[in-house]
Amino acid sequence: MSKGIVLLAAGGTGGHLFPAEALAHELKASGWSVHLVTDSRAERFAGKFPADEIHIVPSATIGSKNPVSVAKSLFTLWKGMRAARRLLARLKPKVVVGFGGYPTVPPLLAATGMGIPSMIHEQNAVMGRANKALANRVQAIAGGFLPETGGPYAAKTLTTGNPVRPAVLEAAAVPYTPSTDGEFRLVVFGGSQGAQFFSKAIPSAIAALEPHDRARLKITQQARMEDKDEVVRSYADLGIPADVSPFFNDMAARIGAAHLVISRSGASTVSELSVIGRPSILVPYPYALDHDQAANAAALAGAGGAKVIPQAELSTERLARIVSGAMHDPAKMATMAASARNAGKPDATRLLASMVEAIAGGKTIAQFKGERP
């Protein structure tokens, strides 16, 4: 028999949906019925998300200063609020949990207005705009990197870490084995813009390496479809074995096999690198409005598990020196891997699920903090 319904709300991008998906698996295993509210972008993830039902509620971003655009967005949000209230009245969830993105605003506003227990999870070290708009209204805030001390919401914030997928936990079971003189596995990935930058920067840096270093390399690199052929050709010309693709279904396993990772520093990426425990060079996306990637990267770098380099400072020569240095200093790579692992929160999903159950049961965040496992 189901314990009741938990309604998860998330924007339709992987960064918002993946933590919600991990929580959904945990809650389902504990006997809860899980429903998801999102937007139409999430359809490509729908087959994997373990929800009893997926609901699309109208929502909009207020990103323009144009009065007509603002009015249209507000009208869409009002329609979303009405739809969310009807949905909540029908489902009667025990708790509503938001994971960021503007599709979370209508259901969370509806829940708080109807007196339904509610909370949000913020993946990044800097709270996103949708979560900022909701933070004052919800009972509790779970944070991937948010501190529990300082700030206007510290009293109701708990740093749970970011839930990670089962494949990440499987990869975390593989110990880091430094490469002393043999094959050196380099993994490069990022979002679409990150992949675009790396598609030009990484092959150029690899070409600048000494031949005996290039001979040791095996590369996995994410590249946009429009960049893929050029990246493949670059590595083929250098005689380097490389897997290049816009998407890898087994990326967690590839990270687990890596000797060094070069990537952007989205919240999920940083969380997975720390749980798996692999040394990394993090290049925060420089045009993020809230500079959240820089803050995420700083958290892992502060623990000694990563080196952070701004994109503007990452010349071909410097990148080549970094890769070569990593290849010739296995002891340093092993130390970074251990530091990253120590910073990881592999129990984030379980802790977040316990927090959700507590809020659903009417407990305050202060009570849960006093009782938490």
Side-chain angles (χ1 to χ4, degrees), residues 40-132:
S40 57
R41 293 175 299 168
E43 290 174 355
R44 63 190 185 278
F45 299 105
K48 296 190 298 180
F49 204 101
D52 295 287
E53 287 186 58
I54 296 178
H55 311 274
I56 306 298
V57 168
S59 186
T61 301
I62 304 176
S64 171
K65 294 182 180 179
N66 181 291
V68 175
S69 297
V70 170
K72 287 181 178 178
S73 295
L74 289 174
F75 180 64
T76 302
L77 285 169
W78 176 77
K79 288 195 299 182
M81 273 276 294
R82 286 172 60 89
R85 289 182 70 89
R86 291 193 298 270
L87 179 65
L88 295 179
R90 177 169 66 85
L91 295 179
K92 297 180 173 56
K94 295 290 183 70
V95 62
V96 179
V97 186
F99 282 84
Y102 276 90
T104 65
V105 174
L108 267 294
L109 287 179
T112 56
M114 296 167 71
I116 299 171
S118 60
M119 57 178 281
I120 55 177
H121 178 276
E122 172 57 56
Q123 294 87 14
N124 292 295
V126 178
M127 192 175 287
R129 285 169 292 171
N131 276 344
K132 275 183 184 176

Side-chain angles (χ1 to χ4, degrees), residues 22-47:
L23 175 63
H25 281 290
E26 186 78 10
L27 291 172
K28 294 272 284 188
S30 298
W32 289 89
S33 176
V34 175
H35 287 238
L36 172 68
V37 175
T38 185
D39 60 36
S40 57
R41 293 175 299 168
E43 290 174 355
R44 63 190 185 278
F45 299 105

Side-chain angles (χ1 to χ4, degrees), residues 63-222:
S64 171
K65 294 182 180 179
N66 181 291
V68 175
S69 297
V70 170
K72 287 181 178 178
S73 295
L74 289 174
F75 180 64
T76 302
L77 285 169
W78 176 77
K79 288 195 299 182
M81 273 276 294
R82 286 172 60 89
R85 289 182 70 89
R86 291 193 298 270
L87 179 65
L88 295 179
R90 177 169 66 85
L91 295 179
K92 297 180 173 56
K94 295 290 183 70
V95 62
V96 179
V97 186
F99 282 84
Y102 276 90
T104 65
V105 174
L108 267 294
L109 287 179
T112 56
M114 296 167 71
I116 299 171
S118 60
M119 57 178 281
I120 55 177
H121 178 276
E122 172 57 56
Q123 294 87 14
N124 292 295
V126 178
M127 192 175 287
R129 285 169 292 171
N131 276 344
K132 275 183 184 176
L134 297 165
N136 195 46
R137 300 175 65 99
V138 298
Q139 275 84 25
I141 300 170
F145 299 99
L146 290 177
E148 296 178 30
T149 56
Y153 308 112
K156 58 180 175 182
T157 297
L158 176 68
T159 307
T160 59
N162 286 315
V164 295
R165 298 165 291 150
V168 174
L169 297 177
E170 291 174 16
V174 179
Y176 180 74
T177 304
S179 174
T180 53
D181 196 31
E183 182 178 83
F184 189 92
R185 292 181 292 275
L186 175 66
V187 173
V188 183
F189 67 99
S192 60
Q193 296 299 317
Q196 181 183 22
F197 170 73
F198 293 141
S199 290
K200 297 183 180 299
I202 303 297
S204 296
I206 300 305
L209 292 175
E210 294 292 332
H212 63 272
D213 284 342
R214 288 202 302 269
R216 292 176 57 195
L217 281 171
K218 181 178 181 181
I219 297 175
T220 289
Q221 183 159 346
Q222 180 191 34

Side-chain angles (χ1 to χ4, degrees), residues 334-365:
T335 298
M336 287 179 68
S339 297
R341 191 177 183 87
N342 288 337
K345 290 182 166 58
D347 293 331
T349 308
R350 180 187 56 81
L351 179 56
L352 180 59
S354 297
M355 184 176 173
V356 170
E357 291 193 280
I359 300 302
K363 289 184 179 179
T364 66
I365 185 61

